[in-house]
């Protein structure tokens, strides 16, 4: 997954209201005594800071050094103490143990296949303390197959322009996002950068089966930031997995 340029304009195009919604969902489904959280795919740290400001002890993990650099600057500016770690969610063997682990913003949809998703679930289970919980969200099949294809979003300000076009991928229930950036450098010159982001999702039952395979004793599924069960036209699926 390439984020070299995306990291620097991510916050410009991200809906900031979603961070509070992820926090609210998490607080409803985490025990009140939860203190220690590992946030997978933490990106530019906006959600990590939101958690930290609410009193949680947060560790943020991400593959992108560019994202983590911005995250560290954000945490410093917001006067929050957050440990940011460069790492891959496919291997959490050296990240320690946590009361809760989160993976929001459909980050799991960037896994290459179902086997990698299963591997993430296995790693998360081992990194959770007993009685720990794993909270995450993914795109629904409805979102991938019906909403995203032919999606087009264009954004610009004085310093850059951002083009986002989505098309159905080759694999079942997959989508490809073509991102083009025109970023201003010194002396008013603009450079062009292109990135391709691939996402894939699976039926609800597949996620439930994989979580069970990893050892989670109980799994709850919700939709679109609510505590309501998923429907056929739900756009985003939320999961709360319990480790005994």
């Amino acid at each position: 997954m390439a984020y070299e340029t995306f990291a620097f304009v991510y916050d410009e195009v991200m809906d900031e209201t979603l961070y509070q919604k992820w926090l609210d969902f998490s607080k409803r489904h985490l025990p009140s005594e939860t203190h220690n959280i590992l946030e997978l795919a933490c990106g530019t740290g906006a959600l990590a800071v939101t958690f930290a400001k609410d009193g949680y002890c947060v560790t943020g993990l991400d593959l992108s050094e560019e994202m983590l650099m911005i995250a560290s600057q954000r945490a410093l500016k917001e006067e929050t103490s957050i440990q940011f770690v460069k790492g891959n969610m496919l291997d959490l063997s050296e990240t320690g143990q946590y009361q809760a682990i989160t993976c929001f913003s459909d980050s799991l949809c960037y896994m290459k296949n179902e086997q990698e998703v299963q591997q993430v679930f296995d790693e998360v289970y081992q990194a959770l303390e007993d009685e720990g919980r794993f909270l995450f969200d993914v795109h629904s099949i409805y979102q991938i197959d019906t909403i995203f294809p032919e999606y087009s979003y264009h954004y610009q300000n004085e310093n850059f322009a951002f083009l986002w076009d989505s098309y159905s991928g080759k694999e079942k229930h997959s989508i490809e996002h073509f991102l083009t950036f025109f970023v201003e450098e010194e002396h008013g010159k603009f450079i062009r950068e292109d990135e391709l982001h691939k996402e894939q999702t699976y039926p609800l039952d597949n996620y439930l089966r994989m979580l069970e395979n990893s050892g989670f004793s109980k799994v709850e599924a919700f939709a679109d930031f609510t505590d309501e069960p998923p429907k056929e036209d739900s756009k985003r699926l939320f999961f709360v997995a319990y480790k005994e």
Side-chain angles (χ1 to χ4, degrees):
M1 181 173 62
Y3 269 120
E4 286 80 0
T5 305
F6 195 37
F8 296 98
V9 296
Y10 183 82
D11 291 328
E12 287 284 343
V13 300
M14 186 66 178
D15 182 356
E16 293 184 355
T17 65
L18 296 182
Y19 299 122
Q20 185 63 45
K21 290 183 178 181
W22 277 310
L23 174 64
D24 292 342
F25 178 86
S26 299
K27 291 179 69 175
R28 294 198 305 269
H29 295 280
L30 290 175
S32 58
E33 62 270 19
T34 301
H35 178 65
N36 215 8
I37 292 180
L38 171 63
E39 187 197 350
L40 303 180
C42 66
T44 60
L47 182 56
V49 166
T50 303
F51 272 114
K53 283 189 169 183
D54 206 69
Y56 293 96
C57 178
V58 185
T59 298
L61 180 142
D62 202 279
L63 267 175
S64 168
E65 291 184 3
E66 291 85 3
M67 287 284 195
L68 292 174
M69 179 180 68
I70 296 174
S72 296
Q73 293 171 348
R74 180 195 299 276
L76 184 63
K77 181 179 179 181
E78 297 289 340
E79 299 182 344
T80 55
S81 179
I82 302 172
Q83 180 182 10
F84 291 106
V85 179
K86 184 178 185 299
N88 192 326
M89 70 176 81
L90 290 167
D91 182 6
L92 303 177
S93 59
E94 298 183 0
T95 58
Q97 297 285 116
Y98 297 86
Q99 294 172 301
I101 297 177
T102 66
C103 188
F104 289 125
S105 196
D106 53 271
S107 299
L108 270 168
C109 292
Y110 283 91
M111 297 298 101
K112 293 180 181 179
N113 49 48
E114 203 164 350
Q115 289 71 32
E116 285 197 353
V117 176
Q118 181 69 71
Q119 185 174 338
V120 172
F121 290 169
D122 293 346
E123 291 291 315
V124 167
Y125 185 85
Q126 295 301 320
L128 275 175
E129 296 179 2
D130 291 342
E131 310 299 328
R133 296 187 190 179
F134 176 36
L135 281 60
F136 68 95
D137 66 16
V138 294
H139 289 310
S140 68
I141 287 177
Y142 175 77
Q143 175 87 309
I144 292 285
D145 292 353
T146 305
I147 302 298
F148 271 145
E150 310 306 320
Y151 172 83
S152 183
Y153 173 79
H154 298 170
Y155 172 89
Q156 70 179 53
N157 62 22
E158 294 182 355
N159 301 315
F160 72 90
F162 171 54
L163 314 178
W164 176 345
D165 296 288
S166 300
Y167 305 94
S168 295
K170 297 178 182 178
E171 303 297 329
K172 190 175 182 180
H173 308 316
S174 69
I175 196 77
E176 296 185 356
H177 306 293
F178 292 87
L179 311 179
T180 300
F181 308 87
F182 295 92
V183 184
E184 185 179 16
E185 290 189 316
E186 294 182 6
H187 311 300
K189 179 182 178 181
F190 282 78
I191 61 169
R192 172 175 174 168
E193 297 285 350
D194 297 292
E195 294 186 7
L196 172 62
H197 292 232
K198 297 181 179 182
E199 292 191 273
Q200 185 173 8
T201 197
Y202 307 95
L204 172 63
D205 287 345
N206 290 39
Y207 288 109
L208 297 176
R209 171 179 49 79
M210 287 188 284
L211 288 165
E212 182 180 356
N213 289 344
S214 294
F216 289 99
S217 57
K218 174 185 174 183
V219 179
E220 297 173 324
F222 306 99
D224 298 327
F225 295 96
T226 73
D227 293 341
E228 299 296 322
K231 301 177 181 178
E232 287 189 7
D233 61 350
S234 298
K235 296 180 180 179
R236 190 181 292 267
L237 307 180
F238 283 73
F239 294 84
V240 180
Y242 296 69
K243 179 178 179 178
E244 290 185 346

